[in-house]
Amino acid sequence: MPDSPVGPPTPPVPLAGLLALEELGLRLIAGPADAELLWVHTSEMADPYPYLLGGELLLSAGVLLADPDTYVARLVEAGAAALGFGVRPVHEAVPPALVAACDRHGLPLVEVPPGTPFTAIARAVWGLMAAARHRELRRVTRAQQALATAAARPDPIPAVLHQLAVRLPGRAALLAAGGEELHAAGPPPAPEVRAALARLARVVAPGARPAPASATDTVGGSHLSAYALGGGQGLALTLATDHREAGDRTVAGIAVVLLSLLAAPHQGSGAAARSAALVRLLLGADPADVAPLLDGDGRWTVVHARRTDGAAADPLTAGALGAALGSALVDAERGDEVVRVLVPGAARVTPQPGWTLGASAPVPADALEAAGIRAARALGRAEATRAPLVADAPVSGLAALLPPGPAADRARELLAPLTEPLAETLRCWLSLHGSWDRTAVALSVHRNTVRQRIARCAALLGTDLDDMDVRTELWLALRQE
């Protein structure tokens, strides 16, 4: 089937659609009715085989028809889709031997009545092809719009695969170089189909030998395809569908381009692993070891993020978040709920659609570990207050006027009876104005647990936590940490 210079190739025309045009008066008298037509050709040659491309509805009045069985066998060998036989003036009726030969060879035979010119049939076929092409162009355009919209979602890669599985009904999956599924949408395939898709992905994977951009197969009635994604990461898009339409390859090509762009910030699983390891190192390493690894103005913001839909993070979507925040330093292992990002101090942290963010204040390299703790607290507060972003602000105002040394000493003395979990609960509870429910959300515990911890804090401190002066002193002490 030839490709059109613009858009998807023209879909074939079902023979049944042509037979349904009552004005033509066509009648199927032999062979199956499920043929698909790509062309119309008229020939009165005794053997038109050398002039056929395959897929034709061949129209003939049987001027030189001598041996019907040989004639039909040659048409089938040439790949003709159907034979239209015109009645009169050469033959008063379709020769019975021709009917028998078409039945025997499985070639659809259409009787063309005397009042129907062959040119009318050709015009009807071209009209049906034009309508089919218009429908296919409209389907591909709608699929392109849906894929582009999906690519703009907070979780673009799963969204694109979901739309692809809807537009090309079946299974769409993104496979890593090792064959494991990173993301998938659509009904799970049978084990043999899954294995065949993994094999196709290896066929298009880059290696020592040149690899094709795509590969196809058919297993158990499922049409399988694999497409290599750009970027040299070894990622592949795989599809398993029950049938193929003319524009399916065009739709898949659009998805390949989008997925290649979306996966680009991730820069491969190896790069993500190195980035995640560096983030973990920076958040807990000795500052003397950290400083030489960092560029920029020497100040960094730690961001903790969680998806608003509750889904677990993964390296690809986390990489896209990092790119949106202006950083390639992202830590997100598969299955983790929280993504951690190190953002250069010059970059401004802004809310991101589909994510809840908690950010620390910009800090130097020797304070990254403490900044990570503050970012985690900010994320808890953001979730408790349903805010897209909460940034931990540095101490300011009257609190900033307290002498650091004496204030820190007094804070340690005042909070000494409290364990770290109790102090953290008290800090969160005070920051949320004594709300039991919001504190429970922020700390991911039951509200009764919050009540018990706060009561324990009051008992250990020997004070009334309903007293505003007490709350203020405790809050200032907690802010010194």
Side-chain angles (χ1 to χ4, degrees), residues 153-334:
R153 285 175 51 88
D155 52 348
I157 292 176
V160 168
L161 290 174
H162 171 73
Q163 280 299 325
L164 194 58
V166 170
R167 300 290 166 171
L168 309 181
R171 177 78 166 184
L174 182 65
L175 270 60
E180 64 274 14
E181 282 190 355
L182 299 177
H183 292 282
E192 61 272 16
V193 172
R194 186 185 296 272
L197 289 172
R199 288 195 298 271
L200 284 182
R202 288 194 291 271
V203 170
V204 301
R209 55 169 180 74
S214 64
T216 60
D217 196 1
T218 302
V219 174
S222 294
H223 297 278
L224 313 181
S225 307
Y227 303 89
L229 268 59
Q233 306 170 29
L235 301 178
L237 168 66
T238 61
L239 299 171
T241 58
D242 292 335
H243 62 279
R244 285 187 180 138
E245 300 291 342
D248 286 359
R249 187 175 180 86
T250 302
V251 175
I254 295 168
V256 167
V257 173
L258 290 174
L259 290 171
S260 296
L261 293 173
L262 292 170
H266 173 52
Q267 299 179 346
S269 58
R274 291 190 296 272
S275 176
L278 182 57
V279 173
R280 287 190 290 271
L281 170 68
L282 298 181
L283 293 177
D286 187 301
D289 297 329
V290 167
L293 301 175
L294 300 179
D295 298 321
D297 64 0
R299 298 181 70 80
W300 293 79
T301 298
V302 180
V303 176
H304 282 218
R306 197 191 311 265
R307 288 176 53 168
T308 54
D309 60 6
D314 64 83
L316 290 174
T317 53
L321 172 65
L325 293 175
S327 175
L329 295 176
V330 180
D331 176 18
E333 290 295 324
R334 172 166 291 277

Side-chain angles (χ1 to χ4, degrees), residues 36-93:
E36 294 186 327
L37 313 177
L38 296 176
W39 333 93
V40 178
H41 182 62
T42 301
S43 175
E44 295 299 342
M45 298 182 67
D47 180 15
Y49 175 96
Y51 303 95
L52 300 182
L53 295 175
E56 295 91 349
L57 168 62
L58 178 65
L59 300 175
S60 175
V63 174
L64 300 178
L65 181 64
D67 182 352
D69 190 77
T70 301
Y71 180 77
V72 171
R74 292 285 285 171
L75 294 184
V76 172
E77 186 179 354
L83 172 62
F85 195 86
V87 175
R88 297 179 193 161
V90 180
H91 295 270
E92 290 298 316

Side-chain angles (χ1 to χ4, degrees), residues 73-470:
R74 292 285 285 171
L75 294 184
V76 172
E77 186 179 354
L83 172 62
F85 195 86
V87 175
R88 297 179 193 161
V90 180
H91 295 270
E92 290 298 316
V94 180
L98 183 62
V99 176
C102 285
D103 271 331
R104 186 163 48 253
H105 290 280
L107 180 70
L109 176 60
V110 177
E111 180 186 70
V112 181
T116 301
F118 284 175
T119 53
I121 298 174
R123 187 184 305 117
V125 171
W126 302 139
L128 290 172
M129 284 185 172
R133 177 166 174 76
H134 178 71
R135 288 193 301 271
E136 192 65 7
L137 282 170
R138 187 166 54 186
R139 182 178 78 94
V140 170
T141 299
R142 288 175 177 172
Q144 181 178 8
Q145 293 171 343
L147 291 170
T149 300
R153 285 175 51 88
D155 52 348
I157 292 176
V160 168
L161 290 174
H162 171 73
Q163 280 299 325
L164 194 58
V166 170
R167 300 290 166 171
L168 309 181
R171 177 78 166 184
L174 182 65
L175 270 60
E180 64 274 14
E181 282 190 355
L182 299 177
H183 292 282
E192 61 272 16
V193 172
R194 186 185 296 272
L197 289 172
R199 288 195 298 271
L200 284 182
R202 288 194 291 271
V203 170
V204 301
R209 55 169 180 74
S214 64
T216 60
D217 196 1
T218 302
V219 174
S222 294
H223 297 278
L224 313 181
S225 307
Y227 303 89
L229 268 59
Q233 306 170 29
L235 301 178
L237 168 66
T238 61
L239 299 171
T241 58
D242 292 335
H243 62 279
R244 285 187 180 138
E245 300 291 342
D248 286 359
R249 187 175 180 86
T250 302
V251 175
I254 295 168
V256 167
V257 173
L258 290 174
L259 290 171
S260 296
L261 293 173
L262 292 170
H266 173 52
Q267 299 179 346
S269 58
R274 291 190 296 272
S275 176
L278 182 57
V279 173
R280 287 190 290 271
L281 170 68
L282 298 181
L283 293 177
D286 187 301
D289 297 329
V290 167
L293 301 175
L294 300 179
D295 298 321
D297 64 0
R299 298 181 70 80
W300 293 79
T301 298
V302 180
V303 176
H304 282 218
R306 197 191 311 265
R307 288 176 53 168
T308 54
D309 60 6
D314 64 83
L316 290 174
T317 53
L321 172 65
L325 293 175
S327 175
L329 295 176
V330 180
D331 176 18
E333 290 295 324
R334 172 166 291 277
D336 282 357
E337 292 185 359
V338 176
V339 176
R340 300 191 292 177
V341 185
L342 284 182
V343 180
R348 179 170 173 263
V349 177
T350 57
Q352 300 298 318
W355 293 89
T356 301
L357 306 179
S360 73
V363 298
D366 60 1
L368 282 175
E369 186 174 8
I373 296 173
R374 294 183 179 275
R377 292 171 182 165
L379 174 59
R381 185 173 181 184
E383 292 181 315
T385 58
R386 299 183 179 179
L389 167 65
V390 167
D392 179 71
V395 176
S396 60
L398 291 175
L401 300 178
L402 296 175
D409 293 340
R410 172 57 182 160
R412 283 191 294 271
E413 177 185 350
L414 182 62
L415 300 174
L418 303 183
T419 62
E420 178 55 34
L422 289 177
E424 185 63 29
T425 302
L426 180 60
R427 178 186 293 106
C428 185
W429 183 70
L430 290 173
S431 73
L432 294 170
H433 313 293
S435 170
W436 308 110
D437 291 329
R438 288 184 173 183
T439 305
V441 172
L443 297 176
S444 299
V445 298
H446 195 276
R447 66 195 306 270
N448 289 342
T449 302
V450 176
R451 288 182 177 274
Q452 292 167 4
R453 289 181 182 177
I454 295 302
R456 182 62 176 161
C457 289
L460 290 173
L461 295 172
T463 189
D464 181 8
L465 294 181
D466 290 331
D467 187 315
M468 183 54 66
D469 288 338
V470 173

